[in-house]
Amino acid sequence: MSIKKTYVTTVKPFELSQKEKLGEKWLLLESDSDCSVFLSWHWIGNWLDLVTDKLFLVEAYRDDQVVGLGFFVEKTRKIFGCFTVKQWWLHRTGDQQQDQIWVEYNDFLLDESCSVVVREEMVKAVADFDPSVKEVIIGLSASEKLDFFTESFAKLNFLATTAVETNGYLASLSCINGDYLNKTLSKNTRLQISRSKKILQSQGQLSFEVFSSPQKLVELYPKIASIHIDKWQATNEGSGFSNPLFEDFHQSMALNNTNNMVQIAVLTLNEAELGYLVNFVYNNKVYFYLSALQKSSDNKIKIGLTLHSEAMKHYAELGIESYDFLGGEARYKKSLSNEKSRLEMKCFYRNEFILRFESQLKKFKMRTIQIFTKYLK
């Protein structure tokens, strides 16, 4: 005779004074979870310190054992400049400055043995907690995980719209027996890497190192910031290093570098540093977060490809399972990866007239733009 498990889910306001106690609970559940680095306490604990709006904690228990945790930040927006809509953001804030640290593989932290059931219980608790919350935004998440949210919210008469969608790229290192570059990459990519490396080596001593000590990370970040700002300052997004919240977050991650999670790979030629990769290493997986590369006047020198190939070789030799380039389109990601996935951010909203009307207007606007764009071509 099987014994039915009892699940209890609560939603309540959260104060930072509760952080230390909650951290112990989070770490305990993290050990039973198959989560990404973005749901580790090292990431979440530092993220909580930059949140300025109302926080709500969702907790799920099975027979008095915690099996689900998640944080929502409350935000409001205006529809048509006059109707106020209350939103809840999962592990994000809805504020561009605060969200520039950028979370991916977003989800609740869940006990892997009962993740599907618990996720649905937590969604129901969120929907029932405050009917004045009209929108729940979740992402960037793997599409297959977001499908579970879509099904759960649909049962509660919520509708959904996609806010962001992109591709993610990953190199599976474990299935290649340590010879990833030769067995997986195209002939053209291998040629570019080999040629670039030979040219650099002909100019002197080329070296590759990975650093994880807090002191060294803090020393390297200003150098990375300078290159990164120079490249991205003129773009719409700008460089995160121009954002004090972004800088403070990563300084804190570096200074409290639990289990050497933050690692910076450096490519050096004759003691001159050519490029940097900021990676997160967690649960035997590498997450490539950002790069800062010096410019080269020789278009045959591919500093980024060379640096990534050295990093992938390094981590493959350590027995690392995968090297994740995360979301976003870029030629080098396609060239260096052997797996592709879909990442999305969705807004789940209550089935109410004003929200449906706004959604239809947005769709009409997008279709009109597409028609005119096609016509003008």
Side-chain angles (χ1 to χ4, degrees):
M1 178 180 174
S2 61
I3 300 175
K4 185 177 180 180
K5 300 290 185 181
T6 302
Y7 294 93
V8 176
T9 306
T10 63
V11 183
K12 55 190 176 184
F14 181 82
E15 301 293 337
L16 279 181
S17 59
Q18 304 166 287
K19 180 182 168 183
E20 184 176 349
K21 186 176 180 180
L22 190 278
E24 296 173 3
K25 193 181 297 185
W26 193 283
L27 286 167
L28 184 64
L29 178 56
E30 191 178 327
S31 65
D32 292 325
S33 173
D34 184 28
C35 68
S36 76
V37 67
F38 300 102
L39 292 179
S40 68
W41 182 246
H42 193 46
W43 180 280
I44 292 293
N46 282 291
W47 169 74
L48 286 172
D49 291 334
L50 62 81
V51 177
T52 55
D53 290 305
K54 288 182 183 178
L55 268 166
F56 291 85
L57 172 65
V58 187
E59 297 179 273
Y61 290 85
R62 180 182 62 187
D63 299 335
D64 297 325
Q65 178 184 350
V66 63
V67 289
L69 291 168
F71 284 103
F72 283 96
V73 177
E74 186 171 288
K75 200 79 176 173
T76 59
R77 71 177 183 95
K78 294 283 188 180
I79 295 182
F80 310 131
C82 53
F83 299 102
T84 300
V85 174
K86 189 185 292 185
Q87 303 174 311
W88 274 20
W89 293 73
L90 178 65
H91 303 139
R92 295 173 65 89
T93 67
D95 178 275
Q96 185 176 358
Q97 289 288 97
Q98 294 179 10
D99 287 340
Q100 197 169 15
I101 62 170
W102 198 251
V103 60
E104 297 193 18
Y105 299 118
N106 204 357
D107 197 351
F108 295 127
L109 182 69
L110 300 165
D111 185 313
E112 190 60 23
S113 68
C114 53
S115 60
V116 175
V117 174
V118 175
R119 189 184 287 107
E120 185 166 351
E121 290 288 329
M122 293 174 76
V123 166
K124 187 176 186 304
V126 168
D128 291 344
F129 177 72
D130 182 359
S132 70
V133 175
K134 303 300 183 183
E135 296 178 334
V136 180
I137 296 91
I138 298 173
L140 210 59
S141 308
S143 292
E144 62 269 20
K145 292 290 177 69
L146 210 50
D147 287 344
F148 289 117
F149 282 101
T150 302
E151 292 172 11
S152 298
F153 275 109
K155 292 177 183 178
L156 303 170
N157 199 29
F158 275 67
L159 303 176
T161 184
T162 300
V164 178
E165 54 184 338
T166 188
N167 290 318
Y169 294 91
L170 177 144
S172 177
L173 304 178
S174 58
C175 61
I176 314 296
N177 297 322
D179 195 14
Y180 177 81
L181 299 180
N182 289 325
K183 293 184 178 180
T184 304
L185 303 187
S186 69
K187 182 178 179 180
N188 181 54
T189 301
R190 294 199 308 271
L191 176 62
Q192 289 186 62
I193 294 170
S194 175
R195 182 173 57 194
S196 174
K197 191 172 179 180
K198 284 180 181 178
I199 294 172
L200 289 169
Q201 287 174 330
S202 72
Q203 297 175 5
Q205 180 64 39
L206 185 68
S207 62
F208 169 85
E209 290 183 271
V210 176
F211 301 97
S212 58
S213 71
Q215 182 180 358
K216 187 64 178 180
L217 297 179
V218 171
E219 176 190 321
L220 290 172
Y221 265 131
K223 301 177 184 180
I224 294 170
S226 177
I227 299 171
H228 201 268
I229 290 171
D230 184 57
K231 179 177 180 179
W232 296 102
Q233 63 182 346
T235 65
N236 290 333
E237 297 82 6
S239 168
F241 290 103
S242 298
N243 176 357
L245 294 175
F246 181 97
E247 278 208 300
D248 289 347
F249 175 84
H250 286 290
Q251 285 286 330
S252 182
M253 290 276 286
L255 288 170
N256 305 285
N257 196 17
T258 307
N259 298 323
N260 295 324
M261 179 186 290
V262 184
Q263 299 189 10
I264 297 179
V266 184
L267 188 68
T268 304
L269 179 64
N270 298 328
E271 299 184 1
E273 293 170 350
L274 301 181
Y276 312 85
L277 303 177
V278 177
N279 292 321
F280 300 129
V281 182
Y282 179 76
N283 278 354
N284 207 37
K285 299 174 184 177
V286 174
Y287 299 84
F288 161 60
Y289 185 71
L290 64 81
S291 64
L293 310 173
Q294 299 284 6
K295 296 175 183 177
S296 173
S297 57
D298 186 344
N299 61 12
K300 292 181 180 179
I301 294 178
K302 309 291 185 182
I303 294 174
L305 281 179
T306 305
L307 183 47
H308 274 297
S309 67
E310 291 297 309
M312 293 164 75
K313 179 183 176 183
H314 167 78
Y315 288 117
E317 289 173 351
L318 292 177
I320 293 293
E321 177 184 326
S322 60
Y323 189 96
D324 197 330
F325 292 96
L326 301 178
E329 293 295 339
R331 182 183 297 176
Y332 74 90
K333 294 185 180 184
K334 295 178 182 178
S335 298
L336 293 171
S337 63
N338 58 4
E339 292 185 19
K340 179 180 175 181
S341 62
R342 198 69 181 155
L343 299 170
E344 296 178 85
M345 181 185 297
K346 283 192 174 183
C347 174
F348 300 97
Y349 59 96
R350 296 187 189 273
N351 190 357
E352 298 179 2
F353 171 76
I354 191 68
L355 297 173
R356 293 198 309 271
F357 182 59
E358 182 195 33
S359 179
Q360 289 302 315
L361 281 180
K362 287 180 179 178
K363 290 177 181 177
F364 176 76
K365 180 181 178 181
M366 287 301 299
R367 283 198 296 267
T368 303
I369 292 172
Q370 289 170 357
I371 290 170
F372 273 98
T373 302
K374 185 177 180 181
Y375 175 77
L376 291 173
K377 286 181 178 179

